[in-house]
Amino acid sequence: MITVIDYGAGNIGSVLNMIKHVGGEAQVTATVTGVLEARKILLPGVGSFDNAMTRLSNLGLVEPLKAKATEGIPFLGICLGMQLLADGSDEGQLAGLGLIPGRVRKFRFDGEAASLKVPHMGWNRAVPLQPHVLTQGLDAMARFYFVHSYYFECENPEHALLQSIYGLSFTSGVQRGNVMGLQFHPEKSHRYGMQLIKNFVGI
């Protein structure tokens, strides 16, 4: 059973549909009790970093989420949910969950890349940097749907799971033990996203 955190930062319907489609079970919670009873957590999110952290804080979920990650249960953040795993972001002033050391940086382009638009929006490749249960079954041409203006800069390169290129090489997936993150939207990424969600269901 995957517990999807609903803190008002994005539509979670497509996430729930994808989990169901690959044969998984999901429930939604916005309560401390729901988080503390979770056996597997998926933290989605769209919007701004500080707004998301404020919503989690107002619901009393920041410390319970940290506690569950420390317990060792599978924990997956997607899109903004991945960025919230960091220590902080250039987008705001608030601290993140601090589950994977690093900081979220804004895309800034000059020179030959100056014409690239921000946000980075559309389909792009994500290449695995190391073997991991979350990325099993992906082939070399795996492509995913991105919509983001910020990217995760890991403090420890060993925590970088996937790499993509948009004006620069950036980390598009992270992992640290039981905690994982995906910058793109797997629930909107057809068969490749389906494979990742299926892998998470099976962890």
PDB file of all heavy atoms in Angstrom, residues 11-41:
ATOM      1  N   ASN A  11      -2.398  18.278  -8.359  1.00  0.00           N
ATOM      2  CA  ASN A  11      -3.438  17.285  -8.571  1.00  0.00           C
ATOM      3  C   ASN A  11      -2.830  15.885  -8.492  1.00  0.00           C
ATOM      4  O   ASN A  11      -1.937  15.541  -9.271  1.00  0.00           O
ATOM      5  CB  ASN A  11      -4.089  17.510  -9.939  1.00  0.00           C
ATOM      6  CG  ASN A  11      -5.164  16.489 -10.244  1.00  0.00           C
ATOM      7  OD1 ASN A  11      -5.604  15.772  -9.348  1.00  0.00           O
ATOM      8  ND2 ASN A  11      -5.577  16.431 -11.488  1.00  0.00           N
ATOM      9  N   ILE A  12      -3.295  15.078  -7.570  1.00  0.00           N
ATOM     10  CA  ILE A  12      -2.713  13.749  -7.383  1.00  0.00           C
ATOM     11  C   ILE A  12      -3.497  12.667  -8.115  1.00  0.00           C
ATOM     12  O   ILE A  12      -3.128  11.495  -8.056  1.00  0.00           O
ATOM     13  CB  ILE A  12      -2.618  13.392  -5.887  1.00  0.00           C
ATOM     14  CG1 ILE A  12      -4.021  13.313  -5.263  1.00  0.00           C
ATOM     15  CG2 ILE A  12      -1.736  14.404  -5.164  1.00  0.00           C
ATOM     16  CD1 ILE A  12      -3.981  12.799  -3.839  1.00  0.00           C
ATOM     17  N   GLY A  13      -4.556  13.045  -8.818  1.00  0.00           N
ATOM     18  CA  GLY A  13      -5.391  12.057  -9.486  1.00  0.00           C
ATOM     19  C   GLY A  13      -4.633  11.187 -10.464  1.00  0.00           C
ATOM     20  O   GLY A  13      -4.820   9.961 -10.499  1.00  0.00           O
ATOM     21  N   SER A  14      -3.770  11.800 -11.283  1.00  0.00           N
ATOM     22  CA  SER A  14      -3.031  11.033 -12.285  1.00  0.00           C
ATOM     23  C   SER A  14      -2.026  10.087 -11.635  1.00  0.00           C
ATOM     24  O   SER A  14      -1.741   9.006 -12.160  1.00  0.00           O
ATOM     25  CB  SER A  14      -2.315  11.972 -13.260  1.00  0.00           C
ATOM     26  OG  SER A  14      -1.470  12.872 -12.586  1.00  0.00           O
ATOM     27  N   VAL A  15      -1.481  10.474 -10.484  1.00  0.00           N
ATOM     28  CA  VAL A  15      -0.562   9.601  -9.749  1.00  0.00           C
ATOM     29  C   VAL A  15      -1.306   8.368  -9.254  1.00  0.00           C
ATOM     30  O   VAL A  15      -0.833   7.230  -9.396  1.00  0.00           O
ATOM     31  CB  VAL A  15       0.086  10.352  -8.568  1.00  0.00           C
ATOM     32  CG1 VAL A  15       0.925   9.403  -7.717  1.00  0.00           C
ATOM     33  CG2 VAL A  15       0.934  11.509  -9.068  1.00  0.00           C
ATOM     34  N   LEU A  16      -2.466   8.582  -8.670  1.00  0.00           N
ATOM     35  CA  LEU A  16      -3.269   7.462  -8.161  1.00  0.00           C
ATOM     36  C   LEU A  16      -3.682   6.531  -9.302  1.00  0.00           C
ATOM     37  O   LEU A  16      -3.649   5.304  -9.149  1.00  0.00           O
ATOM     38  CB  LEU A  16      -4.505   7.992  -7.443  1.00  0.00           C
ATOM     39  CG  LEU A  16      -4.254   8.826  -6.185  1.00  0.00           C
ATOM     40  CD1 LEU A  16      -5.558   9.433  -5.688  1.00  0.00           C
ATOM     41  CD2 LEU A  16      -3.613   7.983  -5.088  1.00  0.00           C
ATOM     42  N   ASN A  17      -4.043   7.101 -10.443  1.00  0.00           N
ATOM     43  CA  ASN A  17      -4.446   6.290 -11.583  1.00  0.00           C
ATOM     44  C   ASN A  17      -3.300   5.430 -12.096  1.00  0.00           C
ATOM     45  O   ASN A  17      -3.502   4.271 -12.471  1.00  0.00           O
ATOM     46  CB  ASN A  17      -4.972   7.185 -12.714  1.00  0.00           C
ATOM     47  CG  ASN A  17      -6.328   7.788 -12.401  1.00  0.00           C
ATOM     48  OD1 ASN A  17      -7.071   7.257 -11.583  1.00  0.00           O
ATOM     49  ND2 ASN A  17      -6.640   8.895 -13.052  1.00  0.00           N
ATOM     50  N   MET A  18      -2.090   6.000 -12.128  1.00  0.00           N
ATOM     51  CA  MET A  18      -0.938   5.244 -12.610  1.00  0.00           C
ATOM     52  C   MET A  18      -0.604   4.093 -11.665  1.00  0.00           C
ATOM     53  O   MET A  18      -0.305   2.978 -12.106  1.00  0.00           O
ATOM     54  CB  MET A  18       0.276   6.164 -12.771  1.00  0.00           C
ATOM     55  CG  MET A  18       1.534   5.451 -13.235  1.00  0.00           C
ATOM     56  SD  MET A  18       1.430   4.782 -14.916  1.00  0.00           S
ATOM     57  CE  MET A  18       1.906   6.227 -15.870  1.00  0.00           C
ATOM     58  N   ILE A  19      -0.655   4.343 -10.363  1.00  0.00           N
ATOM     59  CA  ILE A  19      -0.387   3.281  -9.388  1.00  0.00           C
ATOM     60  C   ILE A  19      -1.382   2.139  -9.576  1.00  0.00           C
ATOM     61  O   ILE A  19      -1.001   0.959  -9.602  1.00  0.00           O
ATOM     62  CB  ILE A  19      -0.465   3.833  -7.950  1.00  0.00           C
ATOM     63  CG1 ILE A  19       0.678   4.821  -7.688  1.00  0.00           C
ATOM     64  CG2 ILE A  19      -0.406   2.683  -6.931  1.00  0.00           C
ATOM     65  CD1 ILE A  19       0.554   5.567  -6.377  1.00  0.00           C
ATOM     66  N   LYS A  20      -2.641   2.481  -9.724  1.00  0.00           N
ATOM     67  CA  LYS A  20      -3.680   1.470  -9.928  1.00  0.00           C
ATOM     68  C   LYS A  20      -3.455   0.724 -11.237  1.00  0.00           C
ATOM     69  O   LYS A  20      -3.627  -0.499 -11.315  1.00  0.00           O
ATOM     70  CB  LYS A  20      -5.053   2.126  -9.914  1.00  0.00           C
ATOM     71  CG  LYS A  20      -6.214   1.156 -10.094  1.00  0.00           C
ATOM     72  CD  LYS A  20      -7.554   1.876 -10.041  1.00  0.00           C
ATOM     73  CE  LYS A  20      -8.710   0.896 -10.221  1.00  0.00           C
ATOM     74  NZ  LYS A  20     -10.035   1.593 -10.178  1.00  0.00           N
ATOM     75  N   HIS A  21      -3.054   1.456 -12.279  1.00  0.00           N
ATOM     76  CA  HIS A  21      -2.872   0.871 -13.604  1.00  0.00           C
ATOM     77  C   HIS A  21      -1.785  -0.210 -13.612  1.00  0.00           C
ATOM     78  O   HIS A  21      -1.894  -1.193 -14.357  1.00  0.00           O
ATOM     79  CB  HIS A  21      -2.518   1.964 -14.608  1.00  0.00           C
ATOM     80  CG  HIS A  21      -2.411   1.479 -16.027  1.00  0.00           C
ATOM     81  ND1 HIS A  21      -3.505   1.088 -16.763  1.00  0.00           N
ATOM     82  CD2 HIS A  21      -1.328   1.314 -16.834  1.00  0.00           C
ATOM     83  CE1 HIS A  21      -3.109   0.699 -17.963  1.00  0.00           C
ATOM     84  NE2 HIS A  21      -1.794   0.828 -18.034  1.00  0.00           N
ATOM     85  N   VAL A  22      -0.747  -0.021 -12.790  1.00  0.00           N
ATOM     86  CA  VAL A  22       0.346  -1.005 -12.763  1.00  0.00           C
ATOM     87  C   VAL A  22       0.124  -2.081 -11.704  1.00  0.00           C
ATOM     88  O   VAL A  22       1.016  -2.885 -11.432  1.00  0.00           O
ATOM     89  CB  VAL A  22       1.716  -0.324 -12.557  1.00  0.00           C
ATOM     90  CG1 VAL A  22       2.001   0.660 -13.670  1.00  0.00           C
ATOM     91  CG2 VAL A  22       1.803   0.365 -11.189  1.00  0.00           C
ATOM     92  N   GLY A  23      -1.061  -2.094 -11.102  1.00  0.00           N
ATOM     93  CA  GLY A  23      -1.396  -3.152 -10.162  1.00  0.00           C
ATOM     94  C   GLY A  23      -1.111  -2.852  -8.712  1.00  0.00           C
ATOM     95  O   GLY A  23      -1.177  -3.748  -7.862  1.00  0.00           O
ATOM     96  N   GLY A  24      -0.799  -1.595  -8.396  1.00  0.00           N
ATOM     97  CA  GLY A  24      -0.522  -1.220  -7.018  1.00  0.00           C
ATOM     98  C   GLY A  24      -1.764  -0.728  -6.299  1.00  0.00           C
ATOM     99  O   GLY A  24      -2.816  -0.514  -6.903  1.00  0.00           O
ATOM    100  N   GLU A  25      -1.638  -0.555  -5.006  1.00  0.00           N
ATOM    101  CA  GLU A  25      -2.709  -0.007  -4.186  1.00  0.00           C
ATOM    102  C   GLU A  25      -2.231   1.291  -3.567  1.00  0.00           C
ATOM    103  O   GLU A  25      -1.073   1.411  -3.166  1.00  0.00           O
ATOM    104  CB  GLU A  25      -3.107  -0.986  -3.080  1.00  0.00           C
ATOM    105  CG  GLU A  25      -3.760  -2.262  -3.562  1.00  0.00           C
ATOM    106  CD  GLU A  25      -4.178  -3.140  -2.400  1.00  0.00           C
ATOM    107  OE1 GLU A  25      -3.276  -3.660  -1.706  1.00  0.00           O
ATOM    108  OE2 GLU A  25      -5.384  -3.291  -2.162  1.00  0.00           O
ATOM    109  N   ALA A  26      -3.132   2.255  -3.490  1.00  0.00           N
ATOM    110  CA  ALA A  26      -2.753   3.556  -2.939  1.00  0.00           C
ATOM    111  C   ALA A  26      -3.867   4.116  -2.076  1.00  0.00           C
ATOM    112  O   ALA A  26      -5.046   3.821  -2.279  1.00  0.00           O
ATOM    113  CB  ALA A  26      -2.427   4.530  -4.063  1.00  0.00           C
ATOM    114  N   GLN A  27      -3.462   4.891  -1.110  1.00  0.00           N
ATOM    115  CA  GLN A  27      -4.397   5.643  -0.289  1.00  0.00           C
ATOM    116  C   GLN A  27      -3.853   7.059  -0.152  1.00  0.00           C
ATOM    117  O   GLN A  27      -2.656   7.289  -0.316  1.00  0.00           O
ATOM    118  CB  GLN A  27      -4.564   5.003   1.090  1.00  0.00           C
ATOM    119  CG  GLN A  27      -3.281   4.920   1.892  1.00  0.00           C
ATOM    120  CD  GLN A  27      -3.450   4.160   3.198  1.00  0.00           C
ATOM    121  OE1 GLN A  27      -4.496   3.592   3.460  1.00  0.00           O
ATOM    122  NE2 GLN A  27      -2.408   4.155   4.024  1.00  0.00           N
ATOM    123  N   VAL A  28      -4.733   7.993   0.142  1.00  0.00           N
ATOM    124  CA  VAL A  28      -4.351   9.397   0.237  1.00  0.00           C
ATOM    125  C   VAL A  28      -4.462   9.850   1.686  1.00  0.00           C
ATOM    126  O   VAL A  28      -5.399   9.480   2.392  1.00  0.00           O
ATOM    127  CB  VAL A  28      -5.265  10.261  -0.657  1.00  0.00           C
ATOM    128  CG1 VAL A  28      -4.914  11.738  -0.524  1.00  0.00           C
ATOM    129  CG2 VAL A  28      -5.168   9.818  -2.101  1.00  0.00           C
ATOM    130  N   THR A  29      -3.494  10.643   2.127  1.00  0.00           N
ATOM    131  CA  THR A  29      -3.591  11.187   3.482  1.00  0.00           C
ATOM    132  C   THR A  29      -3.078  12.615   3.522  1.00  0.00           C
ATOM    133  O   THR A  29      -2.224  13.012   2.719  1.00  0.00           O
ATOM    134  CB  THR A  29      -2.818  10.338   4.496  1.00  0.00           C
ATOM    135  OG1 THR A  29      -3.149  10.767   5.820  1.00  0.00           O
ATOM    136  CG2 THR A  29      -1.307  10.491   4.329  1.00  0.00           C
ATOM    137  N   ALA A  30      -3.613  13.374   4.460  1.00  0.00           N
ATOM    138  CA  ALA A  30      -3.126  14.726   4.752  1.00  0.00           C
ATOM    139  C   ALA A  30      -2.982  14.885   6.257  1.00  0.00           C
ATOM    140  O   ALA A  30      -2.927  16.002   6.765  1.00  0.00           O
ATOM    141  CB  ALA A  30      -4.083  15.771   4.198  1.00  0.00           C
ATOM    142  N   THR A  31      -2.891  13.759   6.968  1.00  0.00           N
ATOM    143  CA  THR A  31      -2.854  13.799   8.427  1.00  0.00           C
ATOM    144  C   THR A  31      -1.572  13.201   8.983  1.00  0.00           C
ATOM    145  O   THR A  31      -0.930  12.359   8.343  1.00  0.00           O
ATOM    146  CB  THR A  31      -4.039  13.025   9.033  1.00  0.00           C
ATOM    147  OG1 THR A  31      -3.864  11.622   8.798  1.00  0.00           O
ATOM    148  CG2 THR A  31      -5.363  13.489   8.428  1.00  0.00           C
ATOM    149  N   VAL A  32      -1.236  13.615  10.181  1.00  0.00           N
ATOM    150  CA  VAL A  32      -0.061  13.067  10.863  1.00  0.00           C
ATOM    151  C   VAL A  32      -0.215  11.569  11.073  1.00  0.00           C
ATOM    152  O   VAL A  32       0.712  10.786  10.818  1.00  0.00           O
ATOM    153  CB  VAL A  32       0.153  13.785  12.214  1.00  0.00           C
ATOM    154  CG1 VAL A  32       1.227  13.086  13.031  1.00  0.00           C
ATOM    155  CG2 VAL A  32       0.510  15.249  11.995  1.00  0.00           C
ATOM    156  N   THR A  33      -1.388  11.144  11.518  1.00  0.00           N
ATOM    157  CA  THR A  33      -1.632   9.723  11.759  1.00  0.00           C
ATOM    158  C   THR A  33      -1.452   8.920  10.481  1.00  0.00           C
ATOM    159  O   THR A  33      -0.839   7.840  10.483  1.00  0.00           O
ATOM    160  CB  THR A  33      -3.051   9.500  12.318  1.00  0.00           C
ATOM    161  OG1 THR A  33      -3.173  10.193  13.547  1.00  0.00           O
ATOM    162  CG2 THR A  33      -3.324   8.023  12.535  1.00  0.00           C
ATOM    163  N   GLY A  34      -1.971   9.447   9.371  1.00  0.00           N
ATOM    164  CA  GLY A  34      -1.842   8.755   8.095  1.00  0.00           C
ATOM    165  C   GLY A  34      -0.395   8.581   7.682  1.00  0.00           C
ATOM    166  O   GLY A  34      -0.014   7.526   7.152  1.00  0.00           O
ATOM    167  N   VAL A  35       0.418   9.598   7.917  1.00  0.00           N
ATOM    168  CA  VAL A  35       1.846   9.505   7.594  1.00  0.00           C
ATOM    169  C   VAL A  35       2.535   8.493   8.508  1.00  0.00           C
ATOM    170  O   VAL A  35       3.305   7.641   8.049  1.00  0.00           O
ATOM    171  CB  VAL A  35       2.522  10.881   7.698  1.00  0.00           C
ATOM    172  CG1 VAL A  35       4.042  10.752   7.588  1.00  0.00           C
ATOM    173  CG2 VAL A  35       1.999  11.816   6.621  1.00  0.00           C
ATOM    174  N   LEU A  36       2.264   8.571   9.787  1.00  0.00           N
ATOM    175  CA  LEU A  36       2.948   7.695  10.742  1.00  0.00           C
ATOM    176  C   LEU A  36       2.588   6.226  10.557  1.00  0.00           C
ATOM    177  O   LEU A  36       3.374   5.339  10.902  1.00  0.00           O
ATOM    178  CB  LEU A  36       2.631   8.134  12.173  1.00  0.00           C
ATOM    179  CG  LEU A  36       3.177   9.509  12.582  1.00  0.00           C
ATOM    180  CD1 LEU A  36       2.746   9.849  14.003  1.00  0.00           C
ATOM    181  CD2 LEU A  36       4.703   9.525  12.473  1.00  0.00           C
ATOM    182  N   GLU A  37       1.421   5.958   9.977  1.00  0.00           N
ATOM    183  CA  GLU A  37       1.003   4.576   9.746  1.00  0.00           C
ATOM    184  C   GLU A  37       1.423   4.058   8.372  1.00  0.00           C
ATOM    185  O   GLU A  37       1.233   2.880   8.068  1.00  0.00           O
ATOM    186  CB  GLU A  37      -0.517   4.464   9.889  1.00  0.00           C
ATOM    187  CG  GLU A  37      -1.011   4.684  11.314  1.00  0.00           C
ATOM    188  CD  GLU A  37      -2.523   4.613  11.428  1.00  0.00           C
ATOM    189  OE1 GLU A  37      -3.197   4.593  10.367  1.00  0.00           O
ATOM    190  OE2 GLU A  37      -3.027   4.574  12.569  1.00  0.00           O
ATOM    191  N   ALA A  38       2.019   4.917   7.553  1.00  0.00           N
ATOM    192  CA  ALA A  38       2.368   4.544   6.184  1.00  0.00           C
ATOM    193  C   ALA A  38       3.481   3.507   6.137  1.00  0.00           C
ATOM    194  O   ALA A  38       4.406   3.520   6.963  1.00  0.00           O
ATOM    195  CB  ALA A  38       2.785   5.783   5.399  1.00  0.00           C
ATOM    196  N   ARG A  39       3.385   2.626   5.176  1.00  0.00           N
ATOM    197  CA  ARG A  39       4.435   1.637   4.932  1.00  0.00           C
ATOM    198  C   ARG A  39       5.267   1.980   3.702  1.00  0.00           C
ATOM    199  O   ARG A  39       6.322   1.400   3.469  1.00  0.00           O
ATOM    200  CB  ARG A  39       3.806   0.255   4.756  1.00  0.00           C
ATOM    201  CG  ARG A  39       3.117  -0.265   6.016  1.00  0.00           C
ATOM    202  CD  ARG A  39       2.619  -1.670   5.811  1.00  0.00           C
ATOM    203  NE  ARG A  39       2.023  -2.214   7.024  1.00  0.00           N
ATOM    204  CZ  ARG A  39       1.538  -3.447   7.128  1.00  0.00           C
ATOM    205  NH1 ARG A  39       1.594  -4.256   6.079  1.00  0.00           N
ATOM    206  NH2 ARG A  39       1.003  -3.867   8.253  1.00  0.00           N
ATOM    207  N   LYS A  40       4.752   2.890   2.896  1.00  0.00           N
ATOM    208  CA  LYS A  40       5.451   3.351   1.699  1.00  0.00           C
ATOM    209  C   LYS A  40       4.860   4.716   1.374  1.00  0.00           C
ATOM    210  O   LYS A  40       3.645   4.886   1.376  1.00  0.00           O
ATOM    211  CB  LYS A  40       5.222   2.367   0.552  1.00  0.00           C
ATOM    212  CG  LYS A  40       6.065   2.603  -0.678  1.00  0.00           C
ATOM    213  CD  LYS A  40       5.784   1.532  -1.750  1.00  0.00           C
ATOM    214  CE  LYS A  40       6.219   0.152  -1.276  1.00  0.00           C
ATOM    215  NZ  LYS A  40       6.078  -0.852  -2.381  1.00  0.00           N
ATOM    216  N   ILE A  41       5.721   5.697   1.098  1.00  0.00           N
ATOM    217  CA  ILE A  41       5.252   7.074   0.904  1.00  0.00           C
ATOM    218  C   ILE A  41       5.626   7.592  -0.477  1.00  0.00           C
ATOM    219  O   ILE A  41       6.758   7.411  -0.946  1.00  0.00           O
ATOM    220  CB  ILE A  41       5.831   8.009   1.981  1.00  0.00           C
ATOM    221  CG1 ILE A  41       5.142   7.744   3.338  1.00  0.00           C
ATOM    222  CG2 ILE A  41       5.680   9.486   1.592  1.00  0.00           C
ATOM    223  CD1 ILE A  41       5.702   8.534   4.489  1.00  0.00           C
TER     224      ILE A  41
END
